[in-house]
Amino acid sequence: MENRRCEMFPTMLVTILLSLSILFSSTQAITDQVVSSSTSNSIVNQESKLETYIVFLKKSEGMVSAKPEDLDNWYQSFLPAVTTSSSNQQRLIHSYHHVVTGFAAKLTKQEAKAMETKEGFVSAWPQKVLNVKTTHTPNFLGLEQNLGFWNHSNYGKGVIVGVLDTGVTPNHPSFSDEGMPPPPPKWKGKCEFNGTLCNNKLIGARNFYSAGTPPIDGHGHGTHTASTAAGNPVPGASFFEQYNGTAVGIASSAHLAIYQVCSEFGSCSESDILAGMDTAVEDGVDVLSLSLGGPSVPFYEDSIAIGAFGAIQKGIFVSCAAGNSGPSNESLSNEAPWILTVGASTVDRSIRATVMLGNNAQYDGESFYQPTNFSSSLLPLFYAGSNGNESAAFCDPGSLKDVDVRGKVVLCERGGYSGLVYKGQEVKDAGGAAMIVMNDEFYGNVTTASLHVLPASHVTYADGLSIKAYINSTSSPMATILFKGTVFGVPYAPQVAMFSSRGPSLASPGILKPDILGPGVRILAAWLHPVDNRLNTTPGFNVISGTSMATPHLSGIAALLKSSHPDWSPAAIKSAIMTTANLTNLGGMPITDQFFVPVDVFGIGSGHVNPTKADDPGLVYDIQPDDYIPYLCGLGYNETVIGIIVQRPVTCSNSSSIPEAQLNYPSFSIKLGSGPQAYTRTVTNVGPLKSSYIAEIISPQGVDVKVTPSAIEFGGGSSKATYSVTFTRTANVKVPFAQGYLNWVSADHVVRSPIAVIFE
């Protein structure tokens, strides 16, 4: 019963969970003239060993203010001289001018090694290849047309959101510029589409994956994420006649700039990612959205972290996917503290297919196939595994050919050698009228709305056991399925998605990650083409899942906040999002995971985003780019690799180095032994000029938390206040970690910081 080898979770058309494995591609040598056999073989052998290296350099004093063309000439001096005319392969791939000092080039291992002797060289490594990781979600997030924060922020008007992904489908109505003003004067970007496909909505489009060709999305991922962040309203959107409504991006009046850095297969080279980020900074974007990533590495080996630091130095907010490797702990991507790391949650929407039994018991399941002509009359109910055949219990291919299921509702178990839809095909081929799929114990309450081939419902493990018990209790079990379509207001939403990556952070355990949750399960947004077999006379929309889908929601919210508070730094926007997050679901209970188990801070981070509250946080924890340097020193990084990240020489000393938990972050993550630990934080008042706050402490189990001072006041003088927090272990608890919260409470605000304590 435990065999799940061939099962697809969730079904491909409904959910895309893209793995974060590292892929490597070889470089094809090119020769264009006839040479002698031995010379030709030598050249081909040499070129077949070429790899794309990212080379990091340190500017001399004379190069600090160098123009881009001067930097390019300097970069060329590092490349090996090509003496053979038979080789016409372009060695230099990308030159970086803004987020990093250096370039990407095709080199052999020996050529990269030879560069180490040249003045200004810092390091070089072969690039890694990373992977890419809505009608209702604005309402679910509390954004209402012509009301409140959405209206107050002008829907992100004047803000430019840069999306690094698989490209875009430019003629999709989500990217229409109806009602859009021209881009702001600061915009310097380009459009690589022919004709007039770019407009006042889609103001820029560049291709770094395949230079010289338009950035047409051949995957769908980029079109989906871009429209989620800032798509124009499109009435009449749906997916197989469900999720009907107006599809609209979170920041629907913001401009979009597209940077294709990934292939049609979803693989994304580090050199292209850095080139996209570098160009986006030069172009003048305000927000960068990256729904891609790789496994945890030190920040100086993380191209996204390096590029993001260059972006925040220019005041650009960076939002990235946490990864789809949950529910395992320590599975995060994009852990740098200057990045908003976004986990995924469910929304309060279900595609309901309710099983009704002959005893009138009802069990809510799910199915995207919602037939309108299926009778509500009870039919005979049959458990496929009643004969003791395990394969038949799973409804594996061919397992029901000798079983009498004609005209019956067939109960199948999840697992075996077939996915959910293929189980239905087996039931249909055997003459079954309908199917109920019950979860196994591992998947528990995590059900999937699949595009079944017959009337079907996917129910939880517990409900499946109840249905089995009913079958065994009567000689004539009966059942039917009631198809109720799209149902809103599911009270246990949001839940942390099963696939959403969890902390603690491996790269920096002293920073609590992920930062925030956003909608990422079954998100409807723009697609390359209609997926429901309709003619291309209607816009394409698709429903997919992942932290990739959660990320553009947060990117759009950051754009709204940027429009509402143009003077806020990236760290201030991030703090506002984190300290105002929700910890409870729509039913007023603590947020759980999809197994209905309460989640810890390594799954939920600061909580689920609440855009309206983020617009008025009361206090923010601000961080300037230079504030990260003592933190990086405290990580034990040497001055050379810190220089790669911050793009200038640094000096680490005992006086300039701080522990990770001392960074002015809106959360606390500490490893606590027998001795007390104390840290300080500085808050900035962005609320009423005259206000007072009192510290409210929810102490982690076995830990005493003392805050000094316990009250802070603002009265027209300084807008900043500093406090210290001392953590002291009070008991030998038998748990590996504990969590709590520090809230600063005023008459109008609650500014919440989660606390994670790992016991040593």
Side-chain angles (χ1 to χ4, degrees):
M1 297 288 185
E2 296 300 320
N3 194 326
R4 309 180 185 89
R5 283 173 286 179
C6 296
E7 183 170 5
M8 300 172 64
F9 170 71
T11 303
M12 188 184 306
L13 282 174
V14 179
T15 303
I16 297 178
L17 301 181
L18 293 157
S19 67
L20 303 178
S21 59
I22 300 300
L23 308 174
F24 294 91
S25 58
S26 60
T27 303
Q28 178 70 39
I30 302 172
T31 57
D32 65 351
Q33 71 181 61
V34 178
V35 293
S36 69
S37 175
S38 61
T39 304
S40 175
N41 288 339
S42 174
I43 294 167
V44 172
N45 287 339
Q46 180 188 27
E47 294 186 348
S48 67
K49 296 178 181 178
L50 292 176
E51 291 185 84
T52 298
Y53 278 76
I54 300 176
V55 181
F56 296 93
L57 307 177
K58 180 173 66 175
K59 295 177 184 176
S60 64
E61 290 186 10
M63 294 294 292
V64 170
S65 302
K67 296 179 179 179
E69 53 268 28
D70 296 327
L71 286 174
D72 291 344
N73 290 333
W74 182 44
Y75 296 163
Q76 288 281 355
S77 71
F78 284 82
L79 296 177
V82 180
T83 58
T84 307
S85 60
S86 63
S87 177
N88 65 358
Q89 189 163 17
Q90 178 66 39
R91 291 296 196 97
L92 186 66
I93 299 173
H94 298 299
S95 293
Y96 307 125
H97 304 136
H98 302 281
V99 299
V100 71
T101 302
F103 59 90
K106 291 182 182 285
L107 303 166
T108 66
K109 183 177 180 179
Q110 293 75 19
E111 289 168 344
K113 180 72 174 175
M115 287 185 183
E116 295 178 4
T117 62
K118 297 191 175 185
E119 185 178 356
F121 176 87
V122 176
S123 68
W125 70 66
Q127 72 170 358
K128 297 183 289 292
V129 180
L130 312 182
N131 283 61
V132 295
K133 304 278 175 228
T134 157
T135 53
H136 176 63
T137 49
N139 288 342
F140 178 61
L141 293 171
L143 299 173
E144 300 290 342
Q145 190 77 19
N146 300 320
L147 293 173
F149 175 42
W150 222 3
N151 186 56
H152 169 65
S153 66
N154 288 317
Y155 308 93
K157 183 178 180 180
V159 177
I160 302 170
V161 179
V163 179
L164 276 71
D165 215 295
T166 61
V168 71
T169 305
N171 56 356
H172 194 284
S174 289
F175 308 117
S176 159
D177 67 349
E178 182 179 352
M180 289 290 299
K186 69 172 184 174
W187 174 246
K188 301 176 184 177
K190 299 177 182 178
C191 178
E192 294 181 354
F193 286 123
N194 297 326
T196 58
L197 290 176
C198 284
N199 53 36
N200 286 335
K201 165 60 72 175
L202 189 62
I203 61 174
R206 304 286 298 273
N207 191 337
F208 296 96
Y209 164 71
S210 181
T213 61
I216 295 288
D217 187 3
H219 184 286
H221 193 270
T223 298
H224 198 280
T225 56
S227 66
T228 300
N232 247 13
V234 182
S238 67
F239 180 75
F240 287 88
E241 300 182 356
Q242 300 299 317
Y243 289 8
N244 299 297
T246 297
V248 59
I250 297 298
S252 58
S253 291
H255 305 282
L256 277 167
I258 304 300
Y259 302 89
Q260 183 175 355
V261 298
C262 305
S263 73
E264 64 271 27
F265 305 108
S267 59
C268 322
S269 299
E270 279 191 303
S271 62
D272 297 338
I273 295 168
L274 268 176
M277 298 179 83
D278 194 69
T279 302
V281 170
E282 181 181 17
D283 289 348
V285 304
D286 299 297
V287 176
L288 275 175
S289 186
L290 290 87
S291 291
L292 46 95
S296 179
V297 293
F299 299 143
Y300 56 83
E301 295 179 0
D302 184 340
S303 58
I304 294 178
I306 294 169
F309 193 89
I312 64 115
Q313 287 182 305
K314 304 292 185 180
I316 299 168
F317 185 91
V318 183
S319 175
C320 294
N324 298 337
S325 298
S328 300
N329 287 334
E330 299 181 328
S331 56
L332 291 165
S333 296
N334 301 312
E335 302 153 278
W338 49 88
I339 291 172
L340 183 73
T341 307
V342 184
S345 70
T346 64
V347 298
D348 66 329
R349 179 172 55 189
S350 175
I351 308 300
R352 190 68 54 80
T354 300
V355 175
M356 185 173 74
L357 304 181
N359 62 2
N360 292 322
Q362 294 191 16
Y363 302 96
D364 289 333
E366 294 190 288
S367 173
F368 253 116
Y369 177 53
Q370 294 276 322
T372 57
N373 58 353
F374 187 70
S375 174
S376 60
S377 300
L378 294 170
L379 298 171
L381 173 61
F382 177 78
Y383 170 48
S386 59
N387 61 359
N389 185 323
E390 184 178 272
S391 180
F394 291 134
C395 298
D396 283 337
S399 65
L400 302 181
K401 63 181 179 180
D402 297 323
V403 181
D404 181 16
V405 299
R406 188 166 301 277
K408 298 177 182 178
V409 178
V410 181
L411 175 65
C412 304
E413 296 190 23
R414 184 173 194 159
Y417 292 89
S418 55
L420 305 183
V421 174
Y422 290 98
K423 295 178 188 297
Q425 188 65 57
E426 177 62 18
V427 172
K428 184 178 182 180
D429 291 345
M435 175 184 68
I436 302 167
V437 179
M438 65 169 285
N439 259 350
D440 57 13
E441 188 172 7
F442 175 79
Y443 283 105
N445 296 302
V446 183
T447 58
T448 301
S450 300
L451 290 165
H452 289 288
V453 296
L454 82 171
S457 179
H458 184 191
V459 300
T460 68
Y461 175 65
D463 289 350
L465 292 179
S466 296
I467 295 170
K468 272 188 179 180
Y470 164 72
I471 292 173
N472 293 330
S473 71
T474 177
S475 59
S476 302
M478 305 290 284
T480 190
I481 301 175
L482 308 176
F483 293 96
K484 301 179 179 179
T486 305
V487 176
F488 299 98
V490 176
Y492 48 79
Q495 293 178 304
V496 179
M498 179 180 179
F499 57 78
S500 187
S501 290
R502 269 67 162 177
S505 168
L506 289 175
S508 182
I511 299 295
L512 180 59
K513 292 281 182 170
D515 292 309
I516 197 73
L517 294 179
V521 176
R522 301 179 198 161
I523 304 302
L524 183 140
W527 201 247
L528 315 179
H529 49 71
V531 296
D532 50 3
N533 298 320
R534 291 184 291 179
L535 297 175
N536 287 322
T537 56
T538 56
F541 291 93
N542 201 359
V543 173
I544 57 178
S545 299
T547 53
S548 284
M549 286 60 256
T551 299
H553 281 90
L554 270 297
S555 302
I557 291 167
L560 298 179
L561 292 170
K562 187 76 174 177
S563 179
S564 182
H565 304 279
D567 57 331
W568 281 8
S569 69
I573 292 173
K574 180 177 181 178
S575 174
I577 289 171
M578 292 172 62
T579 60
T580 58
N582 292 335
L583 297 178
T584 55
N585 58 29
L586 294 184
M589 301 299 291
I591 292 174
T592 69
D593 61 18
Q594 286 185 283
F595 300 104
F596 289 84
V597 175
V599 288
D600 57 44
V601 291
F602 298 124
I604 197 174
S606 294
H608 193 275
V609 63
N610 184 325
T612 299
K613 286 187 176 180
D615 186 45
D616 181 23
L619 306 174
V620 295
Y621 294 82
D622 207 358
I623 307 174
Q624 298 305 312
D626 281 355
D627 296 339
Y628 292 105
I629 294 175
Y631 157 80
L632 292 169
C633 292
L635 283 177
Y637 293 175
N638 64 50
E639 295 166 354
T640 300
V641 298
I642 295 175
I644 292 175
I645 299 171
V646 304
Q647 294 190 78
R648 61 182 176 85
V650 300
T651 301
C652 290
S653 64
N654 290 335
S655 60
S656 64
S657 176
I658 62 171
E660 299 165 78
Q662 180 60 30
L663 185 68
N664 199 45
Y665 212 66
S667 59
F668 295 87
S669 180
I670 65 171
K671 290 185 177 181
L672 187 62
S674 58
Q677 295 183 24
Y679 303 98
T680 61
R681 292 288 190 272
T682 298
V683 291
T684 302
N685 181 26
V686 294
L689 291 178
K690 188 173 182 179
S691 55
S692 59
Y693 290 81
I694 297 174
E696 176 186 85
I697 302 165
I698 303 173
S699 293
Q701 180 185 359
V703 180
D704 176 68
V705 181
K706 183 178 180 181
V707 178
T708 306
S710 59
I712 51 179
E713 293 192 11
F714 301 94
S718 174
S719 62
K720 296 181 181 295
T722 298
Y723 67 90
S724 67
V725 187
T726 302
F727 301 94
T728 305
R729 192 165 181 169
T730 59
N732 289 322
V733 293
K734 296 180 179 181
V735 292
F737 84 98
Q739 65 183 48
Y741 293 91
L742 166 58
N743 303 327
W744 286 103
V745 182
S746 73
D748 302 309
H749 300 93
V750 176
V751 185
R752 181 185 299 108
S753 292
I755 300 169
V757 177
I758 298 175
F759 295 110
E760 293 186 318

